[in-house]
């Protein structure tokens, strides 16, 4: 319950709210127009991915939380906080760096931050102090967390493996796949539990605000909102595998595992909420409302105009940069793997899947001096510049096509053009074949296996006009221990010394104003 001592409010305060509300609405509409691509990308994820469908509820929740404060807000005259404008250039720069690095989450967090800065600038500290939680809760509009899928898969796999051992269930674990006597089960990305974790944390933050005022209770409950979904998802996976195993796949397989799994998750969520409510704090909010004079319209107009100019500065800079871009010379990458010591062989069933490539090349070859050796498959994908739908680090990209399952991974170094480069090693398999895959990313003359480093290099290179980037992979059949396959790939890389120079030649065109264009 909120207890408020209301001062007399007259027409002057009502007119002030009308002016400030109109100015804020115009500013937020301008933000929607200026950053429409980033906002559209977020809404598309809400619609397409069930993991983030709860984001459609964030704005209604925020509006409801603000409505709950209507009495206190009506008694407080809106003010101004011009210092909040200082955050806008920084947030605009963060947004632009996110665009150059093709990181949607960075762009979208920056847009939400700009909206929060606009609210603070045009409503003032006393008002925002009353609605601080709904303003901060806007951050949950950003669909983020996909980078957690892989570690959550590994956690669930380890949890299931240990549980099956404790239950004395004979099984064989390879990667994220389990072989039991009467079935094969996989901890797929959809089974990692990310949807349940994000939904629980989102609701848990709201629950903590409504139930607790002691920091220790809030911290413990939020830790439970992280730990319980992880453990609960592990138990869910174990339960479904056990159900399918003991019923000879009559139950728990197919669509059953989704229905049973979500029923289990909802039950855990309800129990978590009930337990948390037992420890709720008994509190009464008392707002110290002090009358204040309305801000002169001229001053409001000045701050709103400055905010509008700062909002559009980052998109304007991005537009200039986009129109300055000159296309790469992709012709030099038509035949990147030609070498006199190798001859062509029929293509293998393996190939990476990268979306939106501007150029790509695939070839399967074997050494002329050893024609009976297993062939090596080469892949090169080139992006002239990162943009929506054309990003080397997009989550949908894979170093193997459908039908292959990763069983192991490792980091190592190899020699290319006389230099040591970082290589990511993958062991993938189908029911009939195993393959060894080596991969690496190339950005502005540097090879790396770290997606995070790719993002940093990408943004720095884009500022210099070197926006071209590439993904490179080689693969071969693996029989027995991987040492023989590694030697084959090592020799293959050693004979591709021309590749870095070709990539650099293609990328240099993006830095010059020579012939060619968008």
């Amino acid at each position: 319950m909120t207890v408020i001592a209301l001062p007399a409010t007259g027409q002057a305060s009502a007119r002030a709210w009308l002016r400030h509300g109109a100015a804020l609405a115009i500013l937020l509409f301008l933000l929607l127009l200026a950053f429409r691509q980033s906002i559209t990308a977020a809404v598309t994820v809400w619609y397409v991915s069930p993991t983030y469908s709860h984001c459609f509820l964030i704005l209604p929740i925020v509006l409801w939380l603000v409505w709950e404060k209507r009495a206190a807000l009506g008694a407080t005259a809106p003010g101004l906080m011009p210092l909040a404008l200082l955050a806008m250039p920084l947030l605009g720069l963060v947004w632009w760096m996110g665009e150059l690095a093709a990181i949607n989450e960075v762009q979208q967090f920056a847009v939400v931050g700009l909206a929060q800065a606009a609210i603070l600038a045009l409503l003032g500290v006393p008002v925002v102090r009353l609605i601080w939680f709904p303003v901060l809760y806007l951050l949950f509009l950003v669909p983020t967390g996909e980078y957690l899928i892989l570690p959550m898969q590994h956690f669930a796999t380890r949890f299931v493996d240990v549980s099956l051992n404790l239950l004395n269930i004979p099984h064989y674990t390879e990667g994220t796949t389990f072989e039991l006597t009467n079935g094969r089960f996989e901890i797929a990305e959809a089974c990692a539990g990310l949807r349940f974790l994000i939904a629980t944390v989102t609701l848990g933050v709201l629950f903590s605000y409504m139930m607790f005022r002691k920091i220790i209770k809030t911290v413990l409950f939020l830790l439970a909102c992280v730990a319980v979904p992880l453990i609960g998802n592990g138990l869910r996976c174990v339960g479904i595998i056990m159900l399918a195993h003991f019923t000879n796949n009559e139950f728990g397989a197919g669509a059953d595992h989704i229905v049973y799994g979500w029923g289990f998750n909802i039950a855990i969520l309800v129990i978590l909420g009930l337990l948390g409510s037992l420890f709720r704090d008994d509190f009464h909010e008392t707002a110290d409302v002090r009358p204040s004079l309305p801000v002169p319209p001229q001053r409001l107009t000045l701050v709103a105009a400055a905010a509008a100019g700062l909002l559009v500065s980052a998109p304007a800079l991005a537009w200039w940069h986009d129109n300055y871009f000159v296309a790469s010379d992709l012709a030099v990458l038509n035949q990147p793997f030609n070498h006199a010591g190798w001859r062509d062989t029929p293509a293998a069933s393996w190939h990476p899947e990268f979306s939106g490539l501007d150029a790509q090349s695939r070839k399967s070859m074997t050494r002329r001096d050893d024609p009976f050796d297993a062939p090596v498959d080469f892949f090169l994908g080139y992006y002239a510049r990162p943009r929506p739908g054309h990003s080397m680090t997009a989550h949908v990209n894979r170093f193997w096509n459908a039908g292959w399952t990763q069983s192991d991974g490792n980091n190592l170094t190899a020699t290319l053009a006389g230099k040591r480069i970082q290589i990511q090693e993958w062991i993938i398999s189908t029911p009939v074949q195993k393959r060894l895959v080596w991969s690496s990313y190339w950005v502005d003359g540097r090879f790396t296996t770290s997606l995070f480093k790719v993002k940093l290099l990408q943004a720095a290179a884009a500022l210099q006009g070197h926006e071209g980037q590439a993904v490179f992979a080689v693969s071969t059949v693996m029989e027995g221990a991987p040492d023989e396959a590694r030697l084959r790939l090592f020799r293959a890389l050693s004979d591709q010394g021309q590749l870095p120079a070709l990539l650099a030649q293609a990328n240099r065109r993006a830095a010059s104003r020579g012939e060619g264009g968008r």
Side-chain angles (χ1 to χ4, degrees):
M1 186 174 89
T2 304
V3 179
I4 302 170
L6 295 178
T9 57
Q11 293 185 352
S13 180
R15 286 195 297 267
W17 268 110
L18 183 62
R19 289 194 299 269
H20 285 255
L24 180 60
I26 293 172
L27 202 59
L28 293 179
F29 180 72
L30 179 62
L31 181 141
L32 289 176
L33 291 179
F35 300 95
R36 58 187 178 278
Q37 291 184 344
S38 299
I39 296 171
T40 300
V43 176
T44 300
V45 174
W46 302 353
Y47 181 77
V48 172
S49 175
T51 302
Y52 303 103
S53 56
H54 67 277
C55 291
F56 283 108
L57 299 175
I58 300 300
L59 279 179
I61 290 173
V62 167
L63 293 176
W64 172 72
L65 291 172
V66 173
W67 177 253
E68 286 289 297
K69 298 286 187 179
R70 62 189 181 279
L73 291 173
T76 306
L80 294 175
M81 183 58 179
L83 288 177
L85 300 180
L86 298 177
M88 287 188 170
L90 178 60
L91 290 168
L93 180 62
V94 170
W95 173 84
W96 189 41
M97 291 296 100
E99 184 184 62
L100 292 178
I103 310 177
N104 285 334
E105 292 97 325
V106 171
Q107 299 175 57
Q108 292 155 11
F109 274 121
V111 171
V112 172
L114 286 168
Q116 293 168 331
I119 293 172
L120 178 58
L122 294 188
L123 296 185
V125 174
V127 169
V128 173
R129 186 182 290 121
L130 293 172
I131 57 173
W132 67 270
F133 181 81
V135 170
L136 291 180
Y137 203 65
L138 290 171
L139 292 172
F140 284 100
L141 289 169
V142 178
T144 185
E146 287 190 344
Y147 52 87
L148 297 173
I149 289 178
L150 186 59
M152 290 180 69
Q153 271 184 286
H154 291 163
F155 177 84
T157 301
R158 181 61 178 165
F159 191 98
V160 171
D161 187 42
V162 172
S163 299
L164 292 178
N165 286 331
L166 292 175
L167 294 171
N168 292 321
I169 303 297
H171 68 282
Y172 171 70
T173 304
E174 183 176 24
T176 58
T177 303
F178 299 91
E179 293 278 357
L180 274 68
T181 55
N182 61 343
R184 190 169 186 261
F185 305 90
E186 180 184 2
I187 307 296
E189 289 187 358
C191 301
L194 180 64
R195 183 181 182 184
F196 184 38
L197 174 65
I198 290 180
T200 303
V201 171
T202 303
L203 291 176
V205 171
L206 178 61
F207 184 90
S208 298
Y209 169 72
M210 299 178 66
M211 292 290 176
F212 308 129
R213 284 300 177 267
K214 295 180 179 178
I215 297 298
I216 184 63
K217 290 184 180 181
T218 300
V219 171
L220 290 176
F221 186 79
L222 291 180
L223 289 176
C225 288
V226 174
V228 169
L230 292 175
I231 298 173
N233 184 66
L235 292 173
R236 179 185 70 87
C237 293
V238 173
I240 290 172
I241 291 175
M242 295 295 293
L243 181 62
H245 176 65
F246 285 117
T247 62
N248 201 25
N249 296 318
E250 184 177 352
F251 299 102
D256 286 352
H257 82 280
I258 298 177
V259 177
Y260 300 157
W262 269 104
F264 181 75
N265 288 344
I266 292 173
I268 289 180
L269 193 59
V270 170
I271 293 172
L272 183 63
L274 291 175
L275 291 176
S277 63
L278 296 177
F279 299 94
R280 65 175 298 175
D281 293 325
D282 187 14
F283 58 89
H284 300 282
E285 291 187 348
T286 302
D288 182 17
V289 179
R290 299 178 182 178
S292 58
L293 295 176
V295 174
Q298 297 84 353
R299 192 176 174 211
L300 172 62
T301 302
L302 182 62
V303 173
L310 292 172
L311 273 182
V312 301
S313 60
L317 182 62
W319 179 88
W320 172 84
H321 179 268
D322 289 347
N323 285 269
Y324 178 78
F325 172 79
V326 178
S328 299
D329 181 11
L330 302 181
V332 300
L333 300 177
N334 287 341
Q335 299 292 334
F337 302 123
N338 288 340
H339 191 278
W342 293 74
R343 63 181 181 87
D344 293 352
T345 59
S349 60
W350 164 85
H351 64 84
E353 292 186 340
F354 278 73
S355 62
L357 288 165
D358 294 305
Q360 66 173 307
S361 181
R362 291 171 51 195
K363 183 169 284 193
S364 183
M365 297 186 292
T366 188
R367 293 178 64 89
R368 293 185 183 275
D369 59 0
D370 192 359
F372 297 104
D373 194 16
V376 175
D377 296 277
F378 297 81
F379 172 85
L380 178 68
Y382 186 83
Y383 292 89
R385 62 186 300 238
R387 58 199 188 278
H390 298 258
S391 174
M392 187 168 68
T393 56
H395 180 66
V396 295
N397 294 338
R398 291 289 184 273
F399 283 103
W400 49 85
N401 47 311
W404 295 93
T405 302
Q406 178 192 351
S407 58
D408 201 1
N410 191 24
N411 288 303
L412 47 85
T413 59
T415 302
L416 181 63
K419 295 182 178 180
R420 305 293 289 179
I421 66 170
Q422 296 179 352
I423 293 291
Q424 175 70 54
E425 180 181 88
W426 316 86
I427 297 178
I428 59 175
S429 61
T430 66
V432 297
Q433 188 183 90
K434 273 191 175 183
R435 295 188 72 91
L436 192 69
V437 179
W438 283 5
S439 65
S440 191
Y441 301 105
W442 179 91
V443 181
D444 196 22
R446 299 184 183 182
F447 286 90
T448 182
T449 59
S450 167
L451 290 177
F452 179 72
K453 191 172 182 179
V454 165
K455 300 289 188 180
L456 296 180
L457 292 173
Q458 185 173 295
L463 292 175
Q464 304 173 53
H466 304 165
E467 299 196 67
Q469 50 190 246
V471 54
F472 173 67
V474 290
S475 175
T476 189
V477 173
M478 190 180 79
E479 298 177 355
D483 292 343
E484 183 178 348
R486 284 178 181 144
L487 178 60
R488 193 180 305 129
L489 295 183
F490 187 86
R491 295 169 66 187
L493 276 186
S494 298
D495 289 342
Q496 296 298 322
Q498 79 286 353
L499 188 59
L502 292 177
L503 293 172
Q505 183 177 345
N507 198 31
R508 278 197 297 270
R509 292 294 300 273
S512 67
R513 294 295 297 182
E515 60 185 71
R518 288 179 65 98

